[in-house]
Amino acid sequence: MSSHEPGTTDAYVPQEIEPRWQAAWERDGLYEVDLHADGGKEPYYFLTMFPYPSGNLHAGHWYAETPADAAARYLRMRGYEVFFPMGYDAFGLPAENAAIKAAREGQDVHPARLTRERIATMTRQFRQMGAMFDWSHTLATCEPEYYRWNQWFFVKMFERGLAYRKESTVNWDPVDQTVLANEQVIDGRGERSGALVERRLMPQWHFAITHYADELLDFSGLDWPERVKTMQTNWIGRSEGAEVTFETETGDAVEVFTTRPDTLWGATFLVLAPEHPLVTKVTSDAQRDAVEAYVAQAGAMSEIDRTSETREKTGTFTGGYAVNPVNGARIPIWVADYVLVTYGTGAIMAVPAHDERDFAFARRYDLEVVPVVQGDAPLDGATMEEAYVGDGVMVNSGRFDGTPTGKGPDAGDGIARVIAWLEAEGLGRGTTTYRLRDWLISRQRYWGTPIPMLYCDACGVVPEREENLPVVLPEDVAFMPTGESPLKTHEAFLHATCPQCGGPATRETDTMDTFMDSSWYWLRYLSPDDETRPIDPALAKRWTPVHTYTGGIEHAILHLLYARFFTKVLRDLGWVEHDEPFLRLRNQGMILGSDGEKMSKRRGNVVDPDELVARYGADAVRAYLMFIGPWDQGGPWNDQGIEGVVRFLNRVWALFTADAAPGDASDEAVADLRRATHAAIQAVTEDFDAFQFNTAVAELMTLQNHLSKAKNAGLVAHPAWAEARSAFLRMLAPIAPHLAEELWHRAGEAASVHVATWPEVDRSALVVDAIDLVVQVNGKVRGQVTVAADAPDADVIAAAKAEPNVARYLEDATVRREIVVPGKLVNLVVG
RNA sequence: GCCGGGAUGGCGGAACGGUAGACGCAGUAGACUCAAAAUCUACCGGGGCAACCCGUGCGGGUUCGAAUCCCGCUCCCGGCACCA
């Protein structure tokens, strides 16, 4: 204790160092980038996902932001002009829910006030990170200066048909009192509330993301984790096949979608989704009661009941029949809820012999099974026990008998041949279907961007005029304890003038999904105060696409897919020239409580970064979060783990501040020092390039150990010591920016370490005269020899054989092979 | 069910096909101290006196040599899931 008293001795006191340097950096505008100026450096946009202003920064924010900051700092030292902004995704339910809760309790909390307070708090906390955020370019999406451009884009999209209103069955979250996009429904429950989602038919605004489905499947040129690309690809769910028209006996055409047109001859019944428009028409009088009951029952079920209830398939015969167009067979029409109205055409041809679901259904209801694809052995429709879904040769298929099935020329291309024939005969056509649905953008909530549309009795649905934007979200609202949007009863907001005819009109009270806000915010960071346009095209051209984007994997589908879609829309509207928003994507994992569980107040395993910073300093928290393990894996917090990092920082401090007696520096000792220094530079550089922060910190620890020995050996007066110190501090700078800065200045440097250049590897320092080689006999290590680095193989082998322990194994044996791996080992194969 | 990712000491984790366990935590012993903390030094996968043997989820294979490549499994995590 006594030896650590501040003031009496010179100890490492982060609580003193960190605020001092934070103030100095801010005073000097060290991290502010002049986006217009061409300083001769290559622009580099490094972006990390902006947070929702929840009130306080938690450990997860630190885990997301500080390694990203280190990577951004590294790139800056590598000579790029790095723009690293931060802002707030400030619309959203939690603030509004807090207001509703307060209203129930008779208190007055407004989401706007609450959000602005929270932003102020979090900005203060962000500054304690010592990150190089450029606070001269920030934004909060809840401000009219930002969301007016959401509205502006909405109108542009409306004009192009990319935003449209349609009545559709939607996911209604009864707790949050709003509809949700498909992407926000997890296992039938609302992503936020966890409430069972209900299905409702409502008129809703949509964005036509499906127009871009194929383009969104193309990730070429993107350095993104395979995992994210796969998830998006699965989500879009492209599926190639054919639409075939069946005619019913009532004279109606039923379109079905199939990926297996080569099995058309085996279609023994049709199945319509309960919501299919033709259900009523094809149903016979005899079956009407049963069908109506079934449809009603299916309609009453929630999505989760309908999909996960059982594996058992249910359905009802409609009494109607259709004709199989390829062979004239009369086949029954059924209605069953395993067919989804939202996918394909909402109707299928059932080929029980070659589809597992159809097979199960056919067996349950005793429907005909006709095999039309033969694999290794003939199939018997009456006795087969499971569907044959593999490839084979078409049988029972008229002119196509003998055609190999499957896709691609190698497989015989049966599918393509059947499609060509269907098209020629006018029976169907090749087509592609997607799982992806259009983006449902309407939310029945207050705290979001008002959708800038009006309803006029005379003109219908009309967009607000550009000059009237923004449609300001009124702040003088009363929150309902029910959660109903206060916009619905706000007279001044509701009653407006029709932009077209000047007559009375009613405003749309729905607001936009907050994912709209995050679909273009990085472009607004470039010119957040521009009142004339959403994006500055010159700045966008210079700085975007974003070079590196970091954030949580939980946004793999939602935010990242919407952002890609919106970028393509912006391109088509002429605002950007590129197709993709983010060139390189890296995801961090989740930081867990020390019990390995997700941090939560309920579990009591939350670590509070403010407390940690107060106790250990921001640098220690940063370094520990980087050291804990691979960034993309995340992992549990460990209270003892951070102590190890604190010890490391203390040793670094002592290494460069405590005096040491200079002594004789042998050539060998100097060479060792330089080798350790440059080996570390090489390793740390590679680690930063690969986002491997944990091994970068470990390398610095190793170098610190080396330097500590060199110092004790009296090398401090040698130039190699100054070289090592300089390199060490520059490599420490991205990780522990305050400590590095302090020691850098104490070492006599005038400028900030954060504008220093990254150290270069001197390859000559890595060269060694003598190397230790491992000697193996039959692949097992039996000894070590030291040889000259440039020794020819013959000498190396001779030395290996001479090693006493190796020689023992060679006595009664013949050496059959001699393998020399330069610089690594010798393996003698005997037998 | 399908598609990803993973499994390495007591713990977090390292390891271009080339000495498995870097770095750190915990632990053991020692130095300093009246003592403790802090700090420093050494040891630290298992077995064995030793030579050596065993060891990267399991079973095979390729290779002079496999944590790493291939085949077949088990378990864990994530995504999708009656998608025709």
Side-chain angles (χ1 to χ4, degrees):
Chain A
M1 185 63 178
S2 60
S3 64
H4 285 271
E5 197 111 32
T8 58
T9 62
D10 194 25
Y12 171 47
V13 184
Q15 294 80 359
E16 186 274 322
I17 294 171
E18 294 181 353
R20 182 155 49 78
W21 283 114
Q22 284 160 17
W25 295 333
E26 200 161 327
R27 188 191 62 226
D28 299 343
L30 190 64
Y31 305 126
E32 288 177 22
V33 181
D34 183 347
L35 299 175
H36 293 278
D38 185 356
K41 291 179 171 179
E42 198 178 325
Y44 195 108
Y45 197 156
F46 196 112
L47 181 68
T48 179
M49 293 178 188
F50 64 166
Y52 175 77
S54 53
N56 278 295
L57 289 188
H58 51 72
H61 290 119
W62 277 73
Y63 194 57
E65 319 301 3
T66 59
D69 175 59
R73 286 176 176 279
Y74 162 75
L75 287 162
R76 182 182 188 179
M77 294 176 81
R78 287 296 298 264
Y80 294 99
E81 183 78 11
V82 177
F83 179 48
F84 186 54
M86 180 49 71
Y88 296 95
D89 189 11
F91 273 136
L93 277 175
E96 186 174 351
N97 287 346
I100 293 162
K101 184 163 178 277
R104 285 189 192 127
E105 293 161 2
Q107 289 166 333
D108 179 27
V109 171
H110 196 284
R113 199 176 65 230
L114 184 67
T115 301
R116 288 177 191 135
E117 283 167 10
R118 288 174 166 179
I119 286 173
T121 305
M122 289 173 73
T123 302
R124 204 173 331 114
Q125 292 172 318
F126 263 129
R127 287 169 198 262
Q128 292 191 347
M129 276 182 183
M132 55 173 246
F133 297 124
D134 179 355
W135 289 105
S136 69
H137 292 82
T138 187
L139 58 84
T141 57
C142 65
E143 301 301 341
E145 294 74 31
Y146 184 83
Y147 71 68
R148 68 177 291 188
W149 301 112
N150 283 347
Q151 297 173 336
W152 192 85
F153 284 130
F154 188 100
V155 171
K156 294 290 167 206
M157 291 171 74
F158 175 76
E159 288 166 357
R160 291 202 160 212
L162 289 169
Y164 65 92
R165 193 167 119 109
K166 78 166 182 201
E167 178 107 347
S168 62
T169 304
V170 297
N171 309 301
W172 176 260
D173 185 321
V175 169
D176 280 342
Q177 291 274 312
T178 185
V179 302
L180 299 175
N182 281 352
E183 288 83 346
Q184 291 167 312
V185 180
I186 314 290
D187 292 333
R189 290 174 182 273
E191 173 196 42
R192 266 196 36 76
S193 69
L196 277 176
V197 166
E198 298 166 7
R199 296 186 311 144
R200 287 196 181 182
L201 199 63
M202 301 172 76
Q204 299 285 296
W205 288 98
H206 294 77
F207 282 163
I209 190 171
T210 52
H211 283 32
Y212 294 88
D214 273 322
E215 207 189 335
L216 288 167
L217 286 167
D218 179 8
F219 295 92
S220 52
L222 296 188
D223 176 8
W224 281 32
E226 214 52 47
R227 183 159 65 132
V228 176
K229 292 191 279 187
T230 306
M231 282 165 69
Q232 291 203 355
T233 303
N234 290 343
W235 185 262
I236 295 166
R238 181 189 157 97
S239 170
E240 287 181 12
E243 267 177 27
V244 185
T245 310
F246 284 63
E247 193 172 326
T248 70
E249 291 186 344
T250 54
D252 297 293
V254 178
E255 298 278 335
V256 304
F257 174 73
T258 177
T259 56
R260 291 293 304 273
D262 52 338
T263 63
L264 245 171
W265 286 261
T268 53
F269 52 102
L270 288 187
V271 187
L272 305 181
E275 300 85 353
H276 195 282
L278 281 176
V279 168
T280 315
K281 185 109 183 267
V282 301
T283 299
S284 68
D285 291 339
Q287 289 298 104
R288 193 159 304 279
D289 288 351
V291 168
E292 279 173 4
Y294 183 81
V295 170
Q297 182 205 332
M301 266 192 274
S302 71
E303 197 72 26
I304 194 164
D305 289 337
R306 200 161 138 176
T307 55
S308 74
E309 173 201 20
T310 50
R311 308 295 292 178
E312 198 75 7
K313 298 195 183 350
T314 62
T316 301
F317 178 45
T318 63
Y321 288 85
V323 174
N324 186 333
V326 299
N327 58 10
R330 182 174 188 253
I331 61 176
I333 304 172
W334 284 65
V335 56
D337 65 8
Y338 81 92
V339 174
L340 309 175
V341 76
T342 52
Y343 185 78
T345 59
I348 62 159
M349 63 173 204
V351 185
H354 305 293
D355 181 278
E356 289 171 24
R357 295 154 302 181
D358 298 344
F359 184 83
F361 194 80
R363 283 289 184 252
R364 173 164 173 156
Y365 293 105
D366 207 17
L367 295 160
E368 202 184 352
V369 178
V370 177
V372 292
V373 176
Q374 187 174 311
D376 296 334
L379 297 164
D380 179 349
T383 59
M384 58 195 286
E385 288 179 356
E386 57 178 12
Y388 175 73
V389 296
D391 283 330
V393 171
M394 292 172 70
V395 292
N396 247 322
S397 302
R399 52 181 285 139
F400 283 96
D401 281 356
T403 307
T405 65
K407 272 190 180 169
D410 294 347
D413 229 1
I415 289 175
R417 288 210 238 165
V418 171
I419 289 174
W421 178 75
L422 288 171
E423 288 176 349
E425 298 289 315
L427 300 174
R429 72 216 69 86
T431 185
T432 305
T433 300
Y434 303 87
R435 213 191 70 101
L436 182 70
R437 305 263 65 87
D438 273 346
W439 176 8
L440 195 160
I441 195 93
S442 297
R443 293 295 179 274
Q444 289 69 48
R445 298 302 305 228
Y446 162 76
W447 191 229
T449 305
I451 292 176
M453 302 298 294
L454 297 105
Y455 302 95
C456 168
D457 284 342
C459 311
V461 182
V462 188
E464 184 55 276
R465 287 168 178 270
E466 200 173 307
E467 59 267 30
N468 291 343
L469 298 180
V471 176
V472 176
L473 189 64
E475 299 202 2
D476 58 331
V477 292
F479 289 92
M480 312 289 167
T482 57
E484 191 174 34
S485 169
L487 291 181
K488 288 184 178 157
T489 51
H490 193 284
E491 298 296 320
F493 178 82
L494 281 174
H495 301 305
T497 306
C498 174
Q500 235 167 61
C501 69
T506 310
R507 280 198 194 282
E508 169 67 85
T509 56
D510 284 356
T511 54
M512 295 183 207
D513 182 2
T514 55
F515 280 106
M516 173 71 181
D517 305 329
S518 52
S519 288
W520 66 285
Y521 73 106
W522 63 93
L523 289 156
R524 189 63 184 173
Y525 274 143
L526 297 170
S527 53
D529 303 321
D530 190 338
E531 290 176 9
T532 63
R533 55 195 172 178
I535 294 165
D536 180 328
L539 289 178
K541 188 176 165 73
R542 184 169 157 79
W543 288 92
T544 62
V546 168
H547 298 86
T548 297
Y549 194 35
T550 70
I553 187 75
E554 66 273 18
H555 292 109
I557 295 174
L558 288 155
H559 162 53
L560 289 171
L561 192 62
Y562 294 146
R564 292 180 65 218
F565 156 66
F566 210 78
T567 299
K568 294 173 198 304
V569 172
L570 291 176
R571 176 201 60 198
D572 292 348
L573 293 172
W575 285 100
V576 298
E577 293 176 17
H578 50 264
D579 303 319
E580 289 286 342
F582 317 120
L583 297 180
R584 182 168 75 147
L585 176 71
R586 292 294 180 269
N587 299 113
Q588 81 274 1
M590 199 189 294
I591 190 81
L592 304 170
S594 49
D595 54 0
E597 300 289 333
K598 197 170 172 174
M599 283 189 196
S600 72
K601 282 184 190 145
R602 193 170 54 78
R603 285 202 178 86
N605 62 353
V606 175
V607 302
D608 176 10
D610 284 356
E611 275 176 34
L612 292 165
V613 170
R615 190 184 315 167
Y616 302 113
D619 282 343
V621 178
R622 293 171 58 105
Y624 176 61
L625 289 171
M626 289 181 228
F627 183 62
I628 197 166
W631 195 45
D632 58 353
Q633 271 175 36
W637 178 266
N638 182 335
D639 289 322
Q640 284 169 329
I642 193 172
E643 301 275 1
V645 171
V646 171
R647 284 202 277 266
F648 164 63
L649 297 180
N650 273 302
R651 281 195 286 260
V652 170
W653 178 268
L655 184 66
F656 297 126
T657 59
D659 291 335
D664 293 334
S666 70
D667 289 352
E668 199 187 338
V670 170
D672 277 349
L673 173 58
R674 295 204 71 229
R675 193 176 307 117
T677 302
H678 288 275
I681 295 171
Q682 186 170 349
V684 173
T685 303
E686 285 169 9
D687 287 340
F688 267 110
D689 284 333
F691 268 62
Q692 285 161 1
F693 307 107
N694 57 328
T695 47
V697 175
E699 285 297 335
L700 286 178
M701 287 174 167
T702 305
L703 182 57
Q704 185 274 131
N705 288 333
H706 265 101
L707 296 187
S708 184
K709 290 191 175 76
K711 185 181 179 185
N712 292 336
L715 285 167
V716 288
H718 195 278
W721 175 261
E723 180 193 27
R725 177 177 58 193
S726 172
F728 187 97
L729 293 176
R730 281 180 286 159
M731 290 192 284
L732 183 67
I735 297 162
H738 313 88
L739 174 59
E741 185 80 306
E742 177 72 14
L743 294 173
W744 184 252
H745 284 272
R746 286 179 179 231
E749 299 285 347
S752 170
V753 70
H754 303 299
V755 296
T757 56
W758 191 252
E760 297 272 343
V761 179
D762 177 357
R763 304 217 165 265
S764 71
L766 300 175
V767 172
V768 288
D769 302 336
I771 48 176
D772 293 331
L773 287 187
V774 167
V775 184
Q776 297 182 335
V777 179
N778 286 343
K780 290 189 188 292
V781 179
R782 297 302 179 189
Q784 273 197 12
V785 290
T786 303
V787 297
D790 56 356
D793 285 0
D795 294 3
V796 171
I797 290 163
K801 287 177 175 172
E803 208 277 333
N805 197 47
V806 173
R808 290 194 316 124
Y809 288 89
L810 305 180
E811 270 169 20
D812 301 317
T814 317
V815 177
R816 301 196 184 278
R817 243 181 114 173
E818 295 159 343
I819 292 145
V820 179
V821 182
K824 293 280 187 184
L825 57 68
V826 177
N827 189 13
L828 302 172
V829 184
V830 303

